[in-house]
Short mmCIF file of all heavy atoms in Angstrom, two decimals:
data_model
loop_
_atom_site.label_atom_id
_atom_site.label_comp_id
_atom_site.label_asym_id
_atom_site.label_seq_id
_atom_site.Cartn_x
_atom_site.Cartn_y
_atom_site.Cartn_z
N VAL A 126 -0.86 38.38 -38.56
CA VAL A 126 -0.92 39.83 -38.48
C VAL A 126 0.24 40.48 -37.84
O VAL A 126 0.20 41.57 -37.37
CB VAL A 126 -2.22 40.17 -37.55
CG1 VAL A 126 -3.50 39.70 -38.43
CG2 VAL A 126 -2.18 39.64 -36.19
N GLU A 127 1.42 39.68 -37.84
CA GLU A 127 2.53 40.15 -37.19
C GLU A 127 2.89 41.49 -37.48
O GLU A 127 3.37 42.34 -36.58
CB GLU A 127 3.69 39.19 -37.55
CG GLU A 127 4.93 39.62 -36.96
CD GLU A 127 6.12 38.70 -37.30
OE1 GLU A 127 5.81 37.71 -38.21
OE2 GLU A 127 7.27 38.82 -36.81
N GLY A 128 2.91 42.04 -38.77
CA GLY A 128 3.31 43.44 -39.17
C GLY A 128 2.33 44.46 -39.08
O GLY A 128 2.61 45.62 -39.30
N ASP A 129 1.01 44.05 -38.72
CA ASP A 129 -0.12 45.02 -38.91
C ASP A 129 -0.64 45.51 -37.60
O ASP A 129 -1.41 46.50 -37.71
CB ASP A 129 -1.25 44.24 -39.64
CG ASP A 129 -0.80 43.92 -41.12
OD1 ASP A 129 -0.65 44.89 -41.92
OD2 ASP A 129 -0.76 42.83 -41.44
N VAL A 130 -0.35 45.06 -36.48
CA VAL A 130 -1.00 45.38 -35.25
C VAL A 130 -0.73 46.81 -34.88
O VAL A 130 0.52 47.20 -34.70
CB VAL A 130 -0.54 44.45 -34.01
CG1 VAL A 130 -1.12 44.96 -32.74
CG2 VAL A 130 -0.93 43.07 -34.25
N GLY A 131 -1.79 47.53 -34.79
CA GLY A 131 -1.71 49.02 -34.28
C GLY A 131 -1.09 49.87 -35.39
O GLY A 131 -1.03 51.17 -35.17
N LYS A 132 -0.96 49.41 -36.67
CA LYS A 132 -0.32 50.26 -37.71
C LYS A 132 -1.29 51.38 -38.21
O LYS A 132 -0.80 52.44 -38.49
CB LYS A 132 0.35 49.39 -38.73
CG LYS A 132 1.60 48.65 -38.46
CD LYS A 132 2.68 49.72 -38.45
CE LYS A 132 4.05 49.06 -38.40
NZ LYS A 132 5.18 50.08 -38.36
N ALA A 133 -2.44 51.01 -38.55
CA ALA A 133 -3.36 51.85 -39.35
C ALA A 133 -4.48 52.22 -38.43
O ALA A 133 -5.59 52.75 -39.01
CB ALA A 133 -3.76 51.42 -40.58
N GLY A 134 -4.51 52.07 -37.15
CA GLY A 134 -5.63 52.33 -36.29
C GLY A 134 -5.42 51.66 -34.95
O GLY A 134 -4.28 51.09 -34.80
N VAL A 135 -6.41 51.69 -34.10
CA VAL A 135 -6.30 51.12 -32.81
C VAL A 135 -6.53 49.61 -32.75
O VAL A 135 -7.45 49.22 -33.41
CB VAL A 135 -7.23 51.92 -31.83
CG1 VAL A 135 -8.63 51.79 -32.26
CG2 VAL A 135 -7.02 51.40 -30.45
N ALA A 136 -5.77 48.91 -32.07
CA ALA A 136 -5.96 47.46 -31.90
C ALA A 136 -6.94 47.19 -30.85
O ALA A 136 -6.86 47.64 -29.69
CB ALA A 136 -4.64 46.85 -31.54
N ILE A 137 -7.93 46.49 -31.10
CA ILE A 137 -9.08 46.18 -30.17
C ILE A 137 -9.24 44.59 -30.20
O ILE A 137 -9.72 44.01 -31.20
CB ILE A 137 -10.45 46.80 -30.44
CG1 ILE A 137 -10.31 48.35 -30.45
CG2 ILE A 137 -11.56 46.29 -29.52
CD1 ILE A 137 -10.05 48.88 -28.94
N ASP A 138 -8.95 43.95 -29.01
CA ASP A 138 -9.07 42.46 -29.04
C ASP A 138 -10.16 41.97 -28.05
O ASP A 138 -10.53 40.79 -28.24
CB ASP A 138 -7.71 41.91 -28.53
CG ASP A 138 -6.58 42.09 -29.55
OD1 ASP A 138 -6.86 41.79 -30.69
OD2 ASP A 138 -5.49 42.63 -29.13
N SER A 139 -10.64 42.96 -27.26
CA SER A 139 -11.70 42.46 -26.31
C SER A 139 -12.43 43.69 -25.70
O SER A 139 -12.08 44.79 -25.92
CB SER A 139 -10.99 41.67 -25.11
OG SER A 139 -10.26 42.50 -24.31
N VAL A 140 -13.38 43.46 -24.87
CA VAL A 140 -14.11 44.42 -24.12
C VAL A 140 -13.20 45.21 -23.25
O VAL A 140 -13.26 46.49 -23.17
CB VAL A 140 -15.08 43.70 -23.19
CG1 VAL A 140 -15.76 44.84 -22.21
CG2 VAL A 140 -16.28 43.15 -23.98
N GLU A 141 -12.11 44.63 -22.72
CA GLU A 141 -11.12 45.31 -21.84
C GLU A 141 -10.38 46.52 -22.69
O GLU A 141 -10.23 47.56 -22.27
CB GLU A 141 -10.04 44.41 -21.40
CG GLU A 141 -10.66 43.38 -20.34
CD GLU A 141 -11.44 44.04 -19.24
OE1 GLU A 141 -10.93 45.11 -18.72
OE2 GLU A 141 -12.51 43.50 -18.92
N ASP A 142 -10.10 46.18 -23.90
CA ASP A 142 -9.52 47.30 -24.81
C ASP A 142 -10.55 48.25 -25.04
O ASP A 142 -10.21 49.54 -25.05
CB ASP A 142 -9.12 46.61 -26.18
CG ASP A 142 -7.93 45.80 -26.04
OD1 ASP A 142 -7.00 46.06 -25.21
OD2 ASP A 142 -7.78 44.85 -26.84
N MET A 143 -11.81 48.01 -25.28
CA MET A 143 -12.85 48.92 -25.54
C MET A 143 -13.12 49.81 -24.36
O MET A 143 -13.44 51.05 -24.53
CB MET A 143 -14.04 48.25 -26.04
CG MET A 143 -15.10 49.10 -26.78
SD MET A 143 -14.58 49.51 -28.40
CE MET A 143 -15.06 48.16 -29.39
N LYS A 144 -13.13 49.28 -23.21
CA LYS A 144 -13.23 50.00 -22.01
C LYS A 144 -12.21 51.03 -21.85
O LYS A 144 -12.43 52.21 -21.48
CB LYS A 144 -13.25 49.16 -20.77
CG LYS A 144 -14.60 48.26 -20.66
CD LYS A 144 -14.42 47.26 -19.61
CE LYS A 144 -14.41 47.83 -18.14
NZ LYS A 144 -14.32 46.77 -17.12
#
Side-chain angles (χ1 to χ4, degrees):
V126 303
E127 180 182 359
D129 294 294
V130 177
K132 279 289 191 179
V135 59
I137 297 294
D138 292 309
S139 72
V140 170
E141 295 305 318
D142 289 329
M143 198 70 84
K144 287 169 67 176

